[in-house]
Amino acid sequence: RRTCAQFGHTCQAGCQDTPTGFRCTCPRGYSLDEATGRRCQDVDECLATSRPPPCPAFEQCLNTIGSYHCRTIQCPAGYVYDSRQRVCLEPCRPEDRNCNSTNGNSLKFIVINVLPKHNNFTLKIIDARHVNVRNCHYRLLQKSADAPFNIRSSSGRVTIIRTPDPDLAGKLGRMFQMKIKAECYRGGDKPIFRTTFNVYISIAAYNYGMPTLQFLFPRFN
């Protein structure tokens, strides 16, 4: 009979002896990958088949690696929801002469899931009208007070960097928020793309699974 003492090292997470041998186990929020019988994969608690729904009706369920969070995703005051572009848009102000129907301020929501071993990751602006706009400038407008992240930008990309943090263990499994403003140009000083990204970032508790990026869409105006 094969035991955990002999083969437990082949399990990605835990191991449990059984009357006929051993089986690999995973922590809560993960399930065992049936294909390998060794590795752990994320359980998506936000699937429509979840009963009862994990979040109140007025909040969206944000799946993270090994868990989930409930957040209210809606356009802020002064913005309107554009169902065609699926973004929140701020109407142009009369004093903003560079603003028009295509380059007005917009707001997008993103949830990013990373593993503890990932020190940084890159977001690249892709716009349906101007694919791979590279002349973009980014500003960090806001972030959670204890968020272990900062930004660095170059060549139309913004890299979110995980800053050194002696208390990283205390932040695993939590969700943090950042607001990043992007202004993109195609020559001249008139922006063709102005978007604020409301980014929710979660650091998984374990190095199981794969990092993900998902765009969110408001349910309410």
Side-chain angles (χ1 to χ4, degrees):
R1 184 173 73 94
R2 299 192 299 175
T3 67
C4 288
Q6 297 171 302
F7 297 96
H9 66 279
T10 65
C11 297
Q12 187 177 38
C15 182
Q16 183 179 35
D17 286 312
T18 69
T20 57
F22 76 95
R23 67 182 182 90
C24 297
T25 60
C26 297
R28 183 177 180 179
Y30 298 83
S31 63
L32 197 63
D33 178 14
E34 295 182 0
T36 64
R38 299 287 193 271
R39 304 184 66 81
C40 297
Q41 60 187 8
D42 172 54
V43 173
D44 189 347
E45 296 87 353
C46 299
L47 289 176
T49 54
S50 298
R51 292 291 181 271
C55 297
F58 58 88
E59 292 185 328
Q60 285 198 40
C61 181
L62 312 186
N63 186 59
T64 61
I65 304 174
S67 187
Y68 70 93
H69 293 266
C70 301
R71 291 289 188 275
T72 300
I73 307 298
Q74 63 184 14
C75 298
Y79 283 71
V80 295
Y81 183 59
D82 185 318
S83 58
R84 183 178 61 84
Q85 300 185 60
R86 305 184 77 181
V87 298
C88 299
L89 294 176
E90 181 183 31
C92 291
R93 297 186 300 273
E95 65 273 15
D96 188 352
R97 297 180 179 180
N98 288 328
C99 182
N100 56 49
S101 60
T102 62
N103 75 350
N105 290 315
S106 63
L107 177 65
K108 293 185 177 181
F109 301 86
I110 302 175
V111 59
I112 299 173
N113 296 312
V114 296
L115 305 179
K117 64 183 179 181
H118 294 133
N119 292 325
N120 59 70
F121 39 94
T122 299
L123 297 177
K124 185 177 180 181
I125 297 298
I126 301 293
D127 176 50
R129 293 162 297 156
H130 311 97
V131 177
N132 287 335
V133 175
R134 300 182 63 85
N135 186 19
C136 296
H137 305 283
Y138 298 88
R139 289 184 292 130
L140 178 61
L141 302 180
Q142 182 183 343
K143 69 175 181 177
S144 303
D146 58 346
F149 300 103
N150 214 325
I151 68 170
R152 179 180 64 223
S153 63
S154 64
S155 300
R157 298 171 175 85
V158 59
T159 300
I160 300 178
I161 305 166
R162 200 181 75 202
T163 54
D165 191 333
D167 186 37
L168 181 62
K171 295 179 170 60
L172 300 183
R174 293 176 53 192
M175 178 166 278
F176 303 92
Q177 188 174 355
M178 302 178 75
K179 287 187 177 181
I180 303 171
K181 180 68 174 288
E183 293 187 343
C184 301
Y185 302 81
R186 191 184 296 279
D189 57 359
K190 185 176 182 179
I192 60 172
F193 187 89
R194 294 190 287 189
T195 300
T196 297
F197 292 91
N198 200 340
V199 184
Y200 298 95
I201 309 176
S202 172
I203 310 176
Y206 306 95
N207 282 311
Y208 312 150
M210 296 292 291
T212 62
L213 184 150
Q214 176 189 2
F215 282 90
L216 306 172
F217 305 105
R219 292 179 178 172
F220 310 98
N221 290 337

